[in-house]
Amino acid sequence: MKLTDIPGISPARAQALQESGVRTPGDLVRFFPRSYLDRRTILKIRQLQGSGEQVTVMGTVTSVTESGFGRKKRLEAILQDDTGQLKAVWFKGISYFRKSINKGEYYAFFGSVKRFGRYLSMAHPEVEQLSSADTSMQDQQQRFAAIIPIYPGNQFFKNTYITSGLLRKWILSVLDRLSVPEFLPVDLLSRFGYPERRTALFHIHAPETPSHYQKALERFKFEELFLFELSVVTLKKEVFDKAPGPVMAETRPHSSRFFNEVLPFELTEGQKNALGDIKRDIRSGRQMNRLLQGDVGSGKTVVAIGSMLMAIDSGYQAVMMAPTEILAEQHYHSLSEWLQPLGVNIRLLIGNQKKSLREDIHTDIAGGMAGIVVGTHAIIQESIRFHRLGMAIIDEQHRFGVAQRALLREKGENPHILVMSATPIPRSLAMTLYSDLDLSVIRDLPPGRKEIVTRVLREPEREKLHRFLTERLEEGGQVYVVYPLIEESEAMDLKNATEGFDQIRVEFPGYRAGLLHGRMSTSEKEQVMRDFKENRIQILVSTTVIEVGVNVPNASVMVVEHAERFGLSQLHQLRGRIGRGARQSYCMLMTDVKQSREARSRLATMQETGDGFRIAEADLKLRGPGDFLGTRQSGLPEFRYADILGDQYLLEIAKNTALEMTDSDPGLEHPKHAALKKVFLPYLEEKKKFFRMS
Ligand code: ADP
Ligand code: MG
């Protein structure tokens, strides 16, 4: 069956539908209403309140008049039943309605009723003429006073004349002829009270009650979430959990010396638990694939070091990959400081190193002289060969996608993989996104952290900021000043930061300021960071390059310029740079006087809470999951009907149901699962391709 086989679909209309993604009759029935009009409430005119209630009234039109000129032009019709009168008004489509509404005929009007003085009025009602001569009057009334699906209208179809009513007609005529095979097992349907697939489609397109379309829609959401979870659970059981991984021994020299002699503090409970999870994984004989979640400053680096030492103790190499050069360098320095006393050879591998240096590093890595390699994504270049890679750490996971993880995996003999993220992804998202990973969460922060005070300051209050910074600097604190990245003009953000830097030097002549931006060379950046870390620089002016991971405990103030231009997660990350030492820390958000409602809401959230989880939730709500994580690179599945934010409970149910099914009938061999299996196997293949496993 083709679209044009459906009565009423001309080639031009078929074309418009196709351009909007509706290519086949099957697509047409999967094209769901945007909303429903409930026209079932029929009232007599005397029963109307005029307070905006949505009702159907029926009666005879006693007059049709046009009044006003130009833009004030309007059409009015009086509808009368045996209890009173109602005025209907049109401001648009006047010539059309003047022709179709006739004095003396019988009509049904549906709309929202308002009272203006003596008059009850309905603006732009839905109208249908009911011909009183017809014996099927009752039928007509019933058809009008029903629940009417509203489909995305004209505009959606490239301005071709396709109304909601036409769509409804076409869809119902397809549904009458289309076979709609069921694939959910009967026992599932009855357990959840879901209608069978074909019935569900009728309930979507021609519901008799609201619960019809609600339940039917839930069924379709469940269907796609269930297939997804079934693939996740299957992959996890059959592939991820079965992949062999290097077996690593009990704690040995390096690890115990590190924890007992080098590390200057006690581990937090969260850090201990995470290390416990990791130890269990690396002794299991299976490859570890673990996500370590912990808010900024929760001490994930120590867990990473512990994990890498476990590998080294068993004769393996380890690698730690960071999203930016600055971060990689910082990790390199702190790792060197801590691990050189233990005799671990650490190498830094980043993009723009001299050729001779790079060749030397490559040789070290390939020959096994380098125990730990710290670097950027330069590490996953093809030319890099490891001697014996056993542990791979990815810091700040949200910047890397599934593909990068797969590349890292290929660098060794199924090395254990630990991805670390400070983005506290809400559980439902974590479940869908990182479905191949096990989860460890650090919920506590190292002891002694003081709450960061956050203030929003407007441009006219800059004077206050100046006084405040002077006080903090006099106490011996250090200050970050961050400028936003301006996407439209790369030169602009640099200009902003540079001008800010010049001004700071004028305003605080007694202190040294440094400038950091993306276009400086690695060694220049490194020098500035080192100067700041060692307090040779007191004020660090920067573009957003310092966003993640940077650790300078003596810095106690974060000034964010044009804070209204930053996203919530970014602001949270920036604020996470301070409050790392003994000083009381302050985050000063400088904003323009004018700002959007969304920006105001972001700034308010920042003032209200320091809890990364709540901030992530708020951010997710403001931006939506696709934008929040970058759909394509993160591998976030795109659901047609379900919304992973709004339908979390269904996702949980789908997951549990999938777990149950893979337990009771792992290969879907039972006859009652035959139809499901047929749909599921190709779906699973697609997922495997995504994880590069086929
Ligand atoms: P993040 O999780 O954001 O990567 P870091 O690993 O950079 O956090 O740690 C933040 C700071 O906390 C560092 O200065 C680190 O040395 C310190 N730290 C980590 N663990 C502890 C602990 N258990 N007790 C005290 N300080 C800690
Ligand atoms: Mg970190």
Side-chain angles (χ1 to χ4, degrees):
M1 190 167 37
K2 293 196 306 283
L3 279 179
T4 43
D5 295 341
I6 301 162
I9 301 193
S10 62
R13 282 170 169 174
Q15 174 80 22
L17 286 171
Q18 269 162 8
E19 279 172 21
S20 301
V22 180
R23 295 194 172 74
T24 63
D27 289 342
L28 201 55
V29 300
R30 277 191 295 276
F31 188 72
F32 283 10
R34 161 166 56 89
S35 60
Y36 294 89
L37 271 190
D38 190 345
R39 303 200 296 217
R40 289 175 306 162
T41 312
I42 307 175
L43 289 181
K44 290 291 187 186
I45 291 174
R46 199 190 332 178
Q47 293 172 292
L48 302 179
Q49 304 282 321
S51 56
E53 68 268 34
Q54 302 227 317
V55 295
T56 295
V57 287
M58 298 181 182
T60 308
V61 168
T62 57
S63 82
V64 183
T65 50
E66 229 179 283
S67 66
F69 293 96
R71 284 150 104 254
K72 293 242 171 96
K73 206 154 128 173
R74 52 152 80 195
L75 182 75
E76 293 181 355
I78 304 289
L79 187 79
Q80 182 170 333
D81 69 5
D82 50 5
T83 69
Q85 286 190 341
L86 171 105
K87 182 155 67 178
V89 192
W90 290 267
F91 305 97
K92 282 181 186 156
I94 290 175
S95 56
Y96 172 80
F97 286 107
R98 194 184 44 218
K99 267 181 250 143
S100 56
I101 296 178
N102 303 311
K103 195 171 145 186
E105 302 283 355
Y106 195 66
Y107 290 89
F109 284 10
F110 170 82
S112 144
V113 188
K114 290 265 171 60
R115 180 179 287 282
F116 293 101
R118 291 188 305 122
Y119 280 106
L120 286 164
S121 156
M122 235 183 219
H124 283 265
E126 313 258 332
V127 176
E128 191 150 304
Q129 183 173 357
L130 312 172
S131 87
S132 53
D134 201 315
T135 45
S136 63
M137 179 78 159
Q138 195 100 35
D139 266 11
Q140 292 178 48
Q141 289 188 358
Q142 255 174 23
R143 226 177 303 127
F144 183 84
I147 295 176
I148 309 298
I150 304 297
Y151 298 89
N154 265 349
Q155 251 182 338
F156 186 84
F157 294 104
K158 316 278 179 222
N159 288 322
T160 303
Y161 184 73
I162 297 178
T163 60
S164 195
L166 282 173
L167 274 168
R168 180 167 19 128
K169 223 167 72 189
W170 298 338
I171 289 171
L172 290 179
S173 96
V174 173
L175 266 184
D176 276 333
R177 291 190 276 166
L178 200 71
S179 86
V180 185
E182 178 60 81
F183 62 83
L184 288 180
V186 184
D187 50 350
L188 271 192
L189 291 181
S190 63
R191 183 188 330 164
F192 297 120
Y194 290 150
E196 191 250 338
R197 215 154 186 264
R198 184 181 153 86
T199 311
L201 284 173
F202 274 105
H203 285 182
I204 291 282
H205 295 293
E208 280 166 24
T209 65
S211 75
H212 268 169
Y213 62 75
Q214 285 157 2
K215 207 68 195 174
L217 185 60
E218 186 181 310
R219 189 226 127 97
F220 287 107
K221 288 176 172 186
F222 175 83
E223 187 181 295
E224 60 185 1
L225 293 172
F226 176 66
L227 279 178
F228 174 74
E229 289 297 349
L230 196 58
S231 75
V232 166
V233 171
T234 305
L235 285 178
K236 189 140 177 48
K237 281 196 174 165
E238 293 182 359
V239 185
F240 298 123
D241 290 355
K242 282 193 178 154
V247 180
M248 295 179 183
E250 282 291 321
T251 314
R252 283 291 147 83
H254 293 99
S255 322
S256 48
R257 269 193 70 198
F258 174 70
F259 287 113
N260 297 330
E261 298 168 26
V262 179
L263 197 67
F265 42 70
E266 284 284 306
L267 294 176
T268 63
E269 276 311 298
Q271 287 170 322
K272 280 186 204 158
N273 289 340
L275 279 163
D277 290 343
I278 293 162
K279 251 180 222 168
R280 226 176 310 114
D281 287 351
I282 63 173
R283 287 176 198 161
S284 69
R286 286 182 279 114
Q287 185 196 29
M288 172 174 80
N289 279 290
R290 187 166 287 281
L291 172 65
L292 176 62
Q293 260 189 19
D295 207 347
V296 280
S298 60
K300 295 184 291 296
T301 317
V302 172
V303 176
I305 295 175
S307 313
M308 293 195 286
L309 290 178
M310 293 179 205
I312 292 195
D313 280 336
S314 298
Y316 288 94
Q317 291 170 294
V319 54
M320 182 158 175
M321 189 158 92
T324 65
E325 292 192 354
I326 290 197
L327 201 49
E329 282 154 19
Q330 180 182 289
H331 281 320
Y332 173 71
H333 290 302
S334 54
L335 257 63
S336 301
E337 213 168 284
W338 274 345
L339 300 185
Q340 231 118 49
L342 306 180
V344 180
N345 183 18
I346 306 172
R347 307 278 348 220
L348 175 69
L349 185 68
I350 51 181
N352 49 11
Q353 284 166 315
K354 284 214 189 71
K355 193 157 172 253
S356 58
L357 175 60
R358 192 172 344 178
E359 275 166 9
D360 184 44
I361 298 170
H362 286 202
T363 313
D364 250 21
I365 298 176
M369 285 81 81
I372 291 180
V373 184
V374 180
T376 58
H377 51 266
I379 290 174
I380 48 178
Q381 287 169 148
E382 250 180 65
S383 56
I384 310 285
R385 296 265 174 282
F386 281 82
H387 173 62
R388 202 170 177 229
L389 179 62
M391 174 72 68
I393 316 273
I394 302 177
D395 196 15
E396 307 299 349
Q397 143 75 17
H398 63 293
R399 304 269 180 115
F400 293 106
V402 171
Q404 277 97 335
R405 248 187 278 151
L407 283 174
L408 256 182
R409 216 172 269 144
E410 285 157 18
K411 292 283 176 195
E413 322 152 11
N414 267 358
H416 297 299
I417 293 188
L418 180 69
V419 294
M420 309 201 295
S421 173
T423 313
I425 302 148
R427 188 181 147 72
S428 64
L429 264 186
M431 277 171 66
T432 34
L433 261 181
Y434 304 122
S435 45
D436 56 330
L437 302 176
D438 293 311
L439 186 64
S440 297
V441 183
I442 304 182
R443 294 185 198 282
D444 42 1
L445 292 178
R449 290 279 159 82
K450 292 196 180 129
E451 191 134 333
I452 297 170
V453 176
T454 300
R455 293 253 180 291
V456 178
L457 285 181
R458 310 261 165 139
E459 208 41 58
E461 299 171 290
R462 191 166 279 282
E463 188 56 25
K464 271 193 201 162
L465 178 71
H466 180 88
R467 257 178 282 138
F468 178 79
L469 291 183
T470 310
E471 284 166 24
R472 300 287 82 74
L473 287 163
E474 277 170 12
E475 286 171 7
Q478 286 169 275
V479 176
Y480 292 100
V481 182
V482 175
Y483 282 85
L485 204 74
I486 296 166
E487 295 205 358
E488 315 87 68
S489 139
E490 256 200 73
M492 270 291 279
D493 63 300
L494 182 56
K495 181 165 163 281
N496 271 339
T498 314
E499 282 176 4
F501 173 63
D502 290 339
Q503 199 172 331
I504 291 271
R505 282 200 296 187
V506 174
E507 284 180 27
F508 301 96
Y511 299 93
R512 279 196 59 189
L515 177 65
L516 192 69
H517 60 77
R519 262 152 299 164
M520 288 161 63
S521 77
T522 311
S523 61
E524 284 171 329
K525 279 189 275 187
E526 219 179 316
Q527 187 57 47
V528 175
M529 274 317 294
R530 200 172 311 127
D531 285 348
F532 189 60
K533 208 163 183 157
E534 291 165 13
N535 205 355
R536 283 189 294 273
I537 285 174
Q538 288 75 47
I539 309 170
L540 180 64
V541 181
S542 152
T543 55
T544 42
V545 287
I546 61 154
E547 188 187 324
V548 289
V550 172
N551 187 30
V552 181
N554 190 49
S556 61
V557 184
M558 168 63 64
V559 180
V560 183
E561 297 284 352
H562 301 292
E564 73 279 357
R565 297 205 194 143
F566 288 82
L568 259 180
S569 299
Q570 249 185 326
L571 289 172
H572 180 63
Q573 280 285 349
L574 285 170
R575 187 167 58 183
R577 300 306 108 226
I578 53 171
R580 297 178 156 246
R583 293 178 191 284
Q584 170 63 51
S585 291
Y586 303 88
C587 177
M588 311 299 275
L589 304 172
M590 291 301 298
T591 70
D592 287 344
V593 177
K594 271 195 200 156
Q595 47 197 258
S596 69
R597 182 134 49 98
E598 217 190 285
R600 234 191 333 265
S601 143
R602 285 197 297 266
L603 297 172
T605 305
M606 286 300 290
Q607 266 189 305
E608 266 160 38
T609 182
D611 179 342
F613 242 93
R614 283 189 48 204
I615 288 174
E617 293 268 10
D619 199 17
L620 194 56
K621 280 213 185 86
L622 283 172
R623 287 201 282 159
D627 199 31
F628 180 76
L629 296 144
T631 305
R632 218 169 312 140
Q633 74 121 21
S634 65
L636 185 69
E638 294 204 46
F639 295 117
R640 186 180 173 104
Y641 303 118
D643 153 26
I644 41 177
L645 276 189
D647 299 320
Q648 295 190 25
Y649 74 102
L650 257 189
L651 189 66
E652 301 264 355
I653 294 174
K655 177 161 206 109
N656 291 335
T657 313
L659 277 169
E660 232 171 70
M661 193 171 288
T662 48
D663 275 344
S664 64
D665 183 15
L668 300 180
E669 304 300 348
H670 195 283
K672 72 179 177 183
H673 294 152
L676 174 62
K677 187 173 179 176
K678 222 171 118 193
V679 173
F680 177 63
L681 288 184
Y683 184 96
L684 186 66
E685 280 315 303
E686 281 302 306
K687 283 282 169 246
K688 281 191 183 171
K689 262 188 229 152
F690 177 71
F691 286 106
R692 296 189 164 202
M693 293 182 313
S694 48

